[in-house]
Amino acid sequence: MEAEVISMWDRAMPILTGAALKIAAAFALYMVGRWLISFAINMLSKILTARNFDATLQRYIANILGVVLNILLVVAILGYFGLQTTSFAALLAGVGLAVGAAWSGLLGNFAAGAFLIIFRPYKVGDYVVAGGVEGTVVEIGMFNTVLNTPDNVVSVVGNAKVSGDVIRNFSSNPYRRVERQAQLAFGVNPLDAIAKLTPAVAAIPNVLAEPAPTVEILDFNEMGTLLCVRPYCHTDHYWQVYFDTNKVIAATFAAAGYPPPFVVEREELVPLKK
């Protein structure tokens, strides 16, 4: 009995040793392949950077190259183990069709991402509203766009949703307008308020001199005169100018001694019946 066990072990040892060596070689091939893929992607990024390619386009091309090279690496390892790569390619194509039919939305995101790269409605670093989300563009990926919202939350939006919705790019133009309102009480001269408020708004840091800020009469309501206050600034300074404008309105009206606005209630006189 012991002799039979020894004999079986002697026969199994070459097989186990060969399998172990093959697995070790496949692992080494995988590690070398991963290093070569990283090297190729880094080299491509350096070449594109040297040719002044846009950062968004660089990431998109690098992602596609990484996916293709990883698939080739898996096919090469399977071929090393003796599997027919042609059959694997056919199987992969069939699986791709099945997955494509089941995940049509994912392919839609991929196609939309390609169009976003081609038509360039925004780029990395732009402040936009895309897919109903407002924030700074961090990355335009193969399937989605990553935005960092003003409250510092990372939001991932599918490219299909982005391309199918209205895109508002606040960074395309050199400046944007800050829209604020200032309510005056009854009895306050709006022209005097405009004369005091206009230079105060113009003195706010990062408010542009051209176009100059405007303060105009917007409407008349039950509290008095309503002014519109419109300074202009770069989109990077929008919220700073927005809040500073509110402070300047309050400080200017307080310094002028304007009374706070209040609703004036009107009583209707009903004639007495005889």
Side-chain angles (χ1 to χ4, degrees):
M1 184 65 180
E2 185 177 350
E4 292 179 359
V5 172
I6 294 174
S7 177
M8 290 177 60
W9 177 255
D10 290 339
R11 289 196 300 269
M13 273 297 294
I15 299 174
L16 294 175
T17 302
L21 291 175
K22 210 160 193 179
I23 292 173
F27 180 75
L29 177 62
Y30 173 79
M31 296 302 296
V32 172
R34 290 291 299 174
W35 181 84
L36 290 175
I37 290 173
S38 299
F39 178 77
I41 292 175
N42 289 334
M43 286 298 297
L44 177 65
S45 298
K46 290 180 180 179
I47 292 173
L48 295 178
T49 301
R51 294 177 180 270
N52 296 322
F53 268 69
D54 182 72
T56 302
L57 188 59
Q58 288 187 35
R59 293 179 183 176
Y60 198 80
I61 294 175
N63 287 338
I64 294 176
L65 178 63
V67 170
V68 172
L69 292 180
N70 276 290
I71 292 175
L72 293 177
L73 177 60
V74 172
V75 172
I77 292 175
L78 293 175
Y80 175 77
F81 277 103
L83 296 178
Q84 293 293 330
T85 55
T86 54
S87 300
F88 177 77
L91 177 62
L92 185 63
V95 171
L97 289 175
V99 172
W103 291 354
S104 57
L106 190 63
L107 294 179
N109 285 329
F110 179 80
F115 282 111
L116 290 175
I117 293 298
I118 294 172
F119 294 109
R120 305 290 299 279
Y122 54 79
K123 63 182 182 299
V124 173
D126 284 354
Y127 188 82
V128 302
V129 175
V133 179
E134 181 175 350
T136 303
V137 179
V138 177
E139 179 183 355
I140 305 174
M142 296 174 61
F143 300 102
N144 49 57
T145 294
V146 181
L147 301 172
N148 196 30
T149 59
D151 54 346
N152 202 32
V153 176
V154 175
S155 299
V156 181
V157 187
N159 286 333
K161 181 175 177 58
V162 171
S163 61
D165 203 348
V166 176
I167 299 173
R168 302 178 64 196
N169 192 335
F170 297 101
S171 299
S172 293
N173 295 326
Y175 60 84
R176 60 184 295 193
R177 187 177 73 189
V178 178
E179 189 80 20
R180 302 306 304 133
Q181 295 179 357
Q183 180 67 57
L184 297 174
F186 275 109
V188 176
N189 185 350
L191 300 181
D192 180 68
I194 291 172
K196 287 181 169 60
L197 193 55
T198 301
V201 172
I204 295 174
N206 297 315
V207 169
L208 299 178
E210 184 62 37
T214 58
V215 181
E216 297 291 345
I217 297 175
L218 181 64
D219 201 357
F220 302 95
N221 54 34
E222 67 276 5
M223 290 186 288
T225 305
L226 182 64
L227 304 180
C228 64
V229 184
R230 294 172 174 172
Y232 297 84
C233 66
H234 189 274
T235 188
D236 291 345
H237 307 130
Y238 179 84
W239 290 111
Q240 172 255 311
V241 172
Y242 183 98
F243 293 123
D244 283 354
T245 301
N246 290 339
K247 295 175 184 176
V248 164
I249 292 172
T252 302
F253 288 0
Y258 296 155
F262 57 90
V263 177
V264 177
E265 296 183 358
R266 301 179 183 271
E267 295 183 0
E268 293 187 4
L269 297 177
V270 179
L272 297 174
K273 294 182 180 180
K274 295 183 179 179

